[in-house]
Amino acid sequence: MSVFDVFHTGDGAFWLCKDFVGTKWFKPRPWPFPHPFPGIKQMTTPPSEKGGLHAALKYTGIPPSWLEKRPKLPSRNWLIFMSVVGSLTALYVDDRRKCKQIRNEYIEKVQHLAEVPVFHKDWTRKVTVYSCRYPEDHDHERSMKYFKKYVKPIFVAAAVDYDIINGNQYGALASKVSDDIKKKRREIAGLEKSRDQLLHELQPQTGDRSPTARRRRELGGGAVIIGRHSLKEYMEGLRRGWSESMLKRDAEEEFANTLPDDVFDDPLASTVTEASMEGLDSTSSSSSSSPLSPPVDVVRNRSPLFGQIRQPPVRRPTPASLDVPPAMMPLQAPIGLVPFTNHIGFKQVPYMIYDFFTERYRVLSGCQAAYAIVMENKRPMTHIDSMVTSNDLDFDRQSERYIKSSWNKLPKRTETAKTDYYKELKDKIKVARELAYGEREPTRAERSNPPMTEVELRGQRLKKELKWKDDLEGWEVLSGEVVWDDKFEGALEVFVAPTHSSQEEH
């Protein structure tokens, strides 16, 4: 049995035959077979006409299949791939275009300052950039790189010079700021000469290098703080510098005297020391009566014939009245606050991807902070006890939400590392003493790689203890709040975005 379906078109018709027997369908039989409707003509597809381009390229060696190939839509997978890649590329290109526009806009605002003439004996304006290691980030230069990428272009356009002070360990920036302040206090008290004075004594320098001029240049510059973590260490350094003693001290030696020496106790060394002292006493008594020994008066006078012993210069005790910290801190260089958030860890990969396609927000933030510093529009720094709604001590507080949770476990990690180190130290001391006293011969591995001596182990232990102490002190500073002292009242200022009236004055 046969069924014929006729499909009508605008100017003709074609028919399709389907055969079936029972419930089974079979493929159509090949042509020809009797036309079911002789009055209806079968529609045929006319051959496509080839244009002149095909005739021109026919004899160039291009395969005919390429010339006769008709365009068609890609497959579903290719469409998805091209849509995703095209969208991401468009986002990236548009974001970088906006970054360039924002940076050029702020450069045009400040580049007129670079055209101001400067006398050859004068100094250009210079700011000091303070940055430190971000919590749980092994790259201690991350904050400094942020400054160079987002803030430095505006300084360069405005001809503003800068110095960078970067803390490579936790608490290093606070110690550096504190030491610099104490050095200035000693110079003011006349206990120490400044670097400019020492250079001027060796060779006269050009320009005004007096303490007054130096102080004026510092106040005319500024302190650029990168991130909230740097602000904490900077404020802690100010507190230490203006509250503690200004006298020089060897902190490493003082800390070494506080370390217990029970780890290196050696009962054999005490007996050897007693025997050596007895031998030295007998030798000194015999040598004193020897005719070859020099006269006693010559030895006392230390003639150059027997070698002159250089005595260290006697330091005069500093009067207690000079070492009293001031009641109020003098006016400091204005502070420029630059927001900085650092995403670290696998959990923050989505934030990293978002930041990659929104670079313009960080460019805008850095340009705004740099513009405020360049234009020198400032106001007194506010704190929690001030009668204002804003609080500069809460600067960039939202960035603390992204610090890794392992940061809170640093004291525990330090204690574990200290315990493991002292367990291994006992075995190392035992090996060092066995080889030093000749109790056994060194092994083949010890000959190729000699173990550390007891003196080297003492030095290594001191370095590790200092590192652990500094890490814990830095952790306490960075984990707490930004410190504020009553001495800071009226001495600190911050740069803010200039208003329209202040822009017209500049």
Short mmCIF file of all heavy atoms in Angstrom, two decimals, residues 371-409:
data_model
loop_
_atom_site.label_atom_id
_atom_site.label_comp_id
_atom_site.label_asym_id
_atom_site.label_seq_id
_atom_site.Cartn_x
_atom_site.Cartn_y
_atom_site.Cartn_z
N TYR A 371 46.01 62.68 44.11
CA TYR A 371 45.59 64.05 43.80
C TYR A 371 45.43 64.87 45.06
O TYR A 371 45.81 66.05 45.11
CB TYR A 371 44.29 64.00 43.00
CG TYR A 371 43.78 65.35 42.58
CD1 TYR A 371 44.49 66.14 41.69
CD2 TYR A 371 42.58 65.85 43.09
CE1 TYR A 371 44.02 67.38 41.29
CE2 TYR A 371 42.10 67.09 42.71
CZ TYR A 371 42.82 67.85 41.81
OH TYR A 371 42.36 69.09 41.43
N ALA A 372 44.87 64.26 46.12
CA ALA A 372 44.72 64.97 47.39
C ALA A 372 46.08 65.32 47.99
O ALA A 372 46.25 66.40 48.57
CB ALA A 372 43.90 64.12 48.36
N ILE A 373 47.06 64.42 47.85
CA ILE A 373 48.39 64.68 48.40
C ILE A 373 49.09 65.77 47.59
O ILE A 373 49.75 66.66 48.16
CB ILE A 373 49.21 63.39 48.41
CG1 ILE A 373 48.56 62.36 49.34
CG2 ILE A 373 50.65 63.65 48.84
CD1 ILE A 373 49.17 60.98 49.23
N VAL A 374 48.97 65.72 46.28
CA VAL A 374 49.65 66.70 45.43
C VAL A 374 49.09 68.10 45.65
O VAL A 374 49.85 69.09 45.72
CB VAL A 374 49.52 66.28 43.95
CG1 VAL A 374 49.95 67.40 43.03
CG2 VAL A 374 50.34 65.03 43.68
N MET A 375 47.79 68.22 45.80
CA MET A 375 47.17 69.54 45.94
C MET A 375 47.31 70.11 47.34
O MET A 375 46.94 71.26 47.58
CB MET A 375 45.69 69.47 45.54
CG MET A 375 45.46 68.98 44.12
SD MET A 375 46.37 69.91 42.88
CE MET A 375 45.55 71.48 42.98
N GLU A 376 47.79 69.32 48.31
CA GLU A 376 48.11 69.78 49.67
C GLU A 376 46.90 70.37 50.40
O GLU A 376 47.03 71.35 51.15
CB GLU A 376 49.24 70.80 49.64
CG GLU A 376 50.53 70.28 49.05
CD GLU A 376 51.65 71.29 49.15
OE1 GLU A 376 52.16 71.51 50.26
OE2 GLU A 376 52.01 71.86 48.10
N ASN A 377 45.75 69.79 50.20
CA ASN A 377 44.57 70.21 50.95
C ASN A 377 44.45 69.30 52.17
O ASN A 377 44.24 68.09 52.03
CB ASN A 377 43.32 70.10 50.07
CG ASN A 377 42.12 70.71 50.73
OD1 ASN A 377 42.23 71.69 51.46
ND2 ASN A 377 40.95 70.12 50.50
N LYS A 378 44.57 69.84 53.37
CA LYS A 378 44.66 69.02 54.59
C LYS A 378 43.75 69.56 55.68
O LYS A 378 43.29 70.72 55.64
CB LYS A 378 46.10 68.97 55.07
CG LYS A 378 46.76 70.33 55.20
CD LYS A 378 48.26 70.22 55.32
CE LYS A 378 48.90 71.61 55.32
NZ LYS A 378 50.37 71.56 55.36
N ARG A 379 43.53 68.71 56.66
CA ARG A 379 42.73 69.05 57.83
C ARG A 379 43.27 68.28 59.02
O ARG A 379 44.02 67.30 58.86
CB ARG A 379 41.25 68.70 57.60
CG ARG A 379 41.00 67.23 57.32
CD ARG A 379 39.54 66.87 57.45
NE ARG A 379 39.28 65.49 57.06
CZ ARG A 379 39.54 64.43 57.82
NH1 ARG A 379 40.08 64.58 59.02
NH2 ARG A 379 39.25 63.19 57.38
N PRO A 380 42.93 68.66 60.26
CA PRO A 380 43.41 67.92 61.43
C PRO A 380 42.89 66.48 61.44
O PRO A 380 41.78 66.20 60.99
CB PRO A 380 42.85 68.72 62.61
CG PRO A 380 42.60 70.09 62.06
CD PRO A 380 42.22 69.89 60.62
N MET A 381 43.72 65.60 61.93
CA MET A 381 43.34 64.18 62.00
C MET A 381 42.34 63.97 63.13
O MET A 381 42.51 64.49 64.24
CB MET A 381 44.59 63.32 62.25
CG MET A 381 44.35 61.84 62.10
SD MET A 381 45.89 60.91 62.25
CE MET A 381 45.33 59.28 61.74
N THR A 382 41.29 63.25 62.84
CA THR A 382 40.24 62.99 63.82
C THR A 382 40.41 61.59 64.40
O THR A 382 40.95 60.69 63.77
CB THR A 382 38.86 63.11 63.18
OG1 THR A 382 38.75 62.17 62.09
CG2 THR A 382 38.65 64.52 62.63
N HIS A 383 39.93 61.43 65.64
CA HIS A 383 40.00 60.14 66.32
C HIS A 383 38.68 59.89 67.02
O HIS A 383 37.74 60.69 66.93
CB HIS A 383 41.18 60.09 67.30
CG HIS A 383 41.17 61.21 68.31
ND1 HIS A 383 40.63 61.09 69.56
CD2 HIS A 383 41.63 62.49 68.21
CE1 HIS A 383 40.76 62.23 70.22
NE2 HIS A 383 41.36 63.09 69.42
N ILE A 384 38.62 58.82 67.75
CA ILE A 384 37.34 58.37 68.31
C ILE A 384 36.83 59.31 69.39
O ILE A 384 35.61 59.41 69.63
CB ILE A 384 37.49 56.93 68.87
CG1 ILE A 384 36.12 56.34 69.16
CG2 ILE A 384 38.38 56.92 70.09
CD1 ILE A 384 36.16 54.88 69.51
N ASP A 385 37.73 60.05 70.05
CA ASP A 385 37.30 60.95 71.12
C ASP A 385 37.00 62.37 70.64
O ASP A 385 36.60 63.21 71.42
CB ASP A 385 38.39 61.03 72.21
CG ASP A 385 38.61 59.68 72.88
OD1 ASP A 385 37.63 58.91 72.95
OD2 ASP A 385 39.74 59.40 73.31
N SER A 386 37.23 62.62 69.36
CA SER A 386 36.98 63.96 68.84
C SER A 386 35.49 64.17 68.61
O SER A 386 34.73 63.22 68.41
CB SER A 386 37.76 64.18 67.53
OG SER A 386 37.39 63.19 66.58
N MET A 387 35.08 65.43 68.62
CA MET A 387 33.67 65.77 68.51
C MET A 387 33.25 65.90 67.04
O MET A 387 32.62 66.87 66.63
CB MET A 387 33.40 67.09 69.26
CG MET A 387 33.81 67.06 70.71
SD MET A 387 32.92 65.78 71.63
CE MET A 387 31.26 66.44 71.55
N VAL A 388 33.60 64.90 66.24
CA VAL A 388 33.19 64.88 64.83
C VAL A 388 32.68 63.49 64.52
O VAL A 388 32.94 62.52 65.23
CB VAL A 388 34.38 65.25 63.90
CG1 VAL A 388 34.79 66.70 64.10
CG2 VAL A 388 35.56 64.34 64.15
N THR A 389 31.92 63.42 63.45
CA THR A 389 31.33 62.13 63.07
C THR A 389 32.35 61.22 62.41
O THR A 389 32.33 60.02 62.60
CB THR A 389 30.15 62.37 62.12
OG1 THR A 389 30.60 63.12 60.98
CG2 THR A 389 29.05 63.14 62.83
N SER A 390 33.27 61.78 61.61
CA SER A 390 34.26 60.96 60.91
C SER A 390 35.39 60.59 61.85
O SER A 390 35.73 61.34 62.77
CB SER A 390 34.81 61.70 59.69
OG SER A 390 35.45 62.89 60.08
N ASN A 391 35.99 59.45 61.61
CA ASN A 391 37.09 58.95 62.43
C ASN A 391 38.16 58.43 61.50
O ASN A 391 37.97 57.42 60.83
CB ASN A 391 36.59 57.85 63.39
CG ASN A 391 37.69 57.34 64.29
OD1 ASN A 391 38.78 57.91 64.36
ND2 ASN A 391 37.41 56.26 64.99
N ASP A 392 39.30 59.11 61.47
CA ASP A 392 40.38 58.69 60.58
C ASP A 392 41.03 57.40 61.04
O ASP A 392 41.72 56.74 60.26
CB ASP A 392 41.44 59.79 60.49
CG ASP A 392 40.92 61.01 59.74
OD1 ASP A 392 40.13 60.82 58.80
OD2 ASP A 392 41.29 62.15 60.11
N LEU A 393 40.86 57.02 62.30
CA LEU A 393 41.43 55.77 62.78
C LEU A 393 40.68 54.55 62.23
O LEU A 393 41.19 53.43 62.33
CB LEU A 393 41.42 55.73 64.31
CG LEU A 393 42.17 56.86 65.02
CD1 LEU A 393 42.17 56.64 66.52
CD2 LEU A 393 43.60 56.98 64.50
N ASP A 394 39.49 54.76 61.68
CA ASP A 394 38.74 53.68 61.04
C ASP A 394 39.04 53.56 59.56
O ASP A 394 38.31 52.88 58.83
CB ASP A 394 37.23 53.89 61.23
CG ASP A 394 36.81 53.67 62.67
OD1 ASP A 394 37.52 52.94 63.39
OD2 ASP A 394 35.78 54.24 63.08
N PHE A 395 40.09 54.21 59.10
CA PHE A 395 40.43 54.21 57.68
C PHE A 395 40.61 52.79 57.15
O PHE A 395 41.32 51.97 57.75
CB PHE A 395 41.72 55.02 57.48
CG PHE A 395 42.45 54.71 56.21
CD1 PHE A 395 41.95 55.13 55.00
CD2 PHE A 395 43.64 53.98 56.23
CE1 PHE A 395 42.62 54.85 53.82
CE2 PHE A 395 44.31 53.70 55.06
CZ PHE A 395 43.81 54.13 53.86
N ASP A 396 39.93 52.48 56.04
CA ASP A 396 40.07 51.21 55.31
C ASP A 396 39.81 50.00 56.21
O ASP A 396 40.44 48.94 56.07
CB ASP A 396 41.46 51.12 54.69
CG ASP A 396 41.48 50.23 53.46
OD1 ASP A 396 40.40 49.98 52.89
OD2 ASP A 396 42.56 49.77 53.07
N ARG A 397 38.87 50.12 57.12
CA ARG A 397 38.59 49.02 58.04
C ARG A 397 38.01 47.81 57.31
O ARG A 397 38.21 46.66 57.74
CB ARG A 397 37.64 49.48 59.14
CG ARG A 397 37.34 48.42 60.19
CD ARG A 397 36.40 48.96 61.24
NE ARG A 397 37.06 49.94 62.08
CZ ARG A 397 37.79 49.64 63.14
NH1 ARG A 397 37.95 48.38 63.50
NH2 ARG A 397 38.35 50.58 63.86
N GLN A 398 37.30 48.03 56.21
CA GLN A 398 36.69 46.92 55.49
C GLN A 398 37.74 45.95 54.93
O GLN A 398 37.44 44.80 54.65
CB GLN A 398 35.80 47.45 54.37
CG GLN A 398 36.50 48.41 53.40
CD GLN A 398 37.20 47.69 52.28
OE1 GLN A 398 36.84 46.56 51.96
NE2 GLN A 398 38.20 48.32 51.69
N SER A 399 38.98 46.40 54.75
CA SER A 399 40.01 45.52 54.20
C SER A 399 40.39 44.39 55.16
O SER A 399 40.91 43.37 54.73
CB SER A 399 41.26 46.32 53.84
OG SER A 399 41.83 46.91 55.00
N GLU A 400 40.12 44.57 56.45
CA GLU A 400 40.47 43.54 57.43
C GLU A 400 39.59 42.30 57.29
O GLU A 400 39.95 41.24 57.81
CB GLU A 400 40.36 44.10 58.85
CG GLU A 400 41.38 45.20 59.14
CD GLU A 400 41.30 45.68 60.57
OE1 GLU A 400 40.24 45.42 61.22
OE2 GLU A 400 42.26 46.30 61.05
N ARG A 401 38.47 42.42 56.62
CA ARG A 401 37.61 41.25 56.43
C ARG A 401 38.25 40.21 55.52
O ARG A 401 37.87 39.04 55.56
CB ARG A 401 36.26 41.67 55.84
CG ARG A 401 35.44 42.60 56.71
CD ARG A 401 34.11 42.88 56.07
NE ARG A 401 34.28 43.46 54.73
CZ ARG A 401 33.30 43.58 53.84
NH1 ARG A 401 32.08 43.14 54.14
NH2 ARG A 401 33.54 44.14 52.66
N TYR A 402 39.18 40.63 54.68
CA TYR A 402 39.77 39.72 53.71
C TYR A 402 41.11 39.14 54.17
O TYR A 402 41.76 38.44 53.39
CB TYR A 402 39.97 40.47 52.39
CG TYR A 402 38.69 41.04 51.83
CD1 TYR A 402 38.40 42.40 51.98
CD2 TYR A 402 37.76 40.24 51.19
CE1 TYR A 402 37.22 42.94 51.48
CE2 TYR A 402 36.58 40.77 50.69
CZ TYR A 402 36.31 42.12 50.84
OH TYR A 402 35.14 42.64 50.35
N ILE A 403 41.52 39.41 55.39
CA ILE A 403 42.75 38.80 55.91
C ILE A 403 42.49 37.33 56.18
O ILE A 403 41.45 36.95 56.74
CB ILE A 403 43.21 39.53 57.18
CG1 ILE A 403 43.55 40.99 56.85
CG2 ILE A 403 44.42 38.84 57.79
CD1 ILE A 403 43.97 41.81 58.06
N LYS A 404 43.43 36.48 55.83
CA LYS A 404 43.26 35.04 56.01
C LYS A 404 43.08 34.69 57.48
O LYS A 404 43.69 35.29 58.37
CB LYS A 404 44.47 34.30 55.43
CG LYS A 404 44.62 34.43 53.92
CD LYS A 404 45.84 33.70 53.42
CE LYS A 404 45.73 32.20 53.64
NZ LYS A 404 46.87 31.48 53.04
N SER A 405 42.25 33.69 57.72
CA SER A 405 41.98 33.27 59.10
C SER A 405 43.21 32.67 59.78
O SER A 405 43.31 32.66 61.01
CB SER A 405 40.83 32.25 59.11
OG SER A 405 41.17 31.12 58.31
N SER A 406 44.16 32.19 59.00
CA SER A 406 45.38 31.63 59.59
C SER A 406 46.23 32.69 60.27
O SER A 406 47.16 32.36 61.01
CB SER A 406 46.20 30.92 58.51
OG SER A 406 46.55 31.81 57.46
N TRP A 407 45.93 33.97 60.02
CA TRP A 407 46.69 35.04 60.67
C TRP A 407 46.53 34.99 62.19
O TRP A 407 47.46 35.31 62.94
CB TRP A 407 46.22 36.38 60.11
CG TRP A 407 46.69 37.59 60.85
CD1 TRP A 407 45.94 38.48 61.54
CD2 TRP A 407 48.05 38.06 60.95
NE1 TRP A 407 46.71 39.48 62.08
CE2 TRP A 407 48.01 39.24 61.72
CE3 TRP A 407 49.26 37.60 60.48
CZ2 TRP A 407 49.16 39.97 62.02
CZ3 TRP A 407 50.41 38.32 60.77
CH2 TRP A 407 50.36 39.48 61.54
N ASN A 408 45.36 34.58 62.67
CA ASN A 408 45.13 34.50 64.11
C ASN A 408 45.88 33.35 64.75
O ASN A 408 45.98 33.30 65.99
CB ASN A 408 43.63 34.35 64.39
CG ASN A 408 42.83 35.53 63.88
OD1 ASN A 408 43.30 36.68 63.91
ND2 ASN A 408 41.62 35.28 63.39
N LYS A 409 46.41 32.43 63.96
CA LYS A 409 47.13 31.28 64.50
C LYS A 409 48.64 31.47 64.50
O LYS A 409 49.38 30.52 64.76
CB LYS A 409 46.79 30.03 63.68
CG LYS A 409 45.30 29.71 63.64
CD LYS A 409 45.02 28.51 62.75
CE LYS A 409 43.53 28.22 62.65
NZ LYS A 409 43.25 27.07 61.75
#
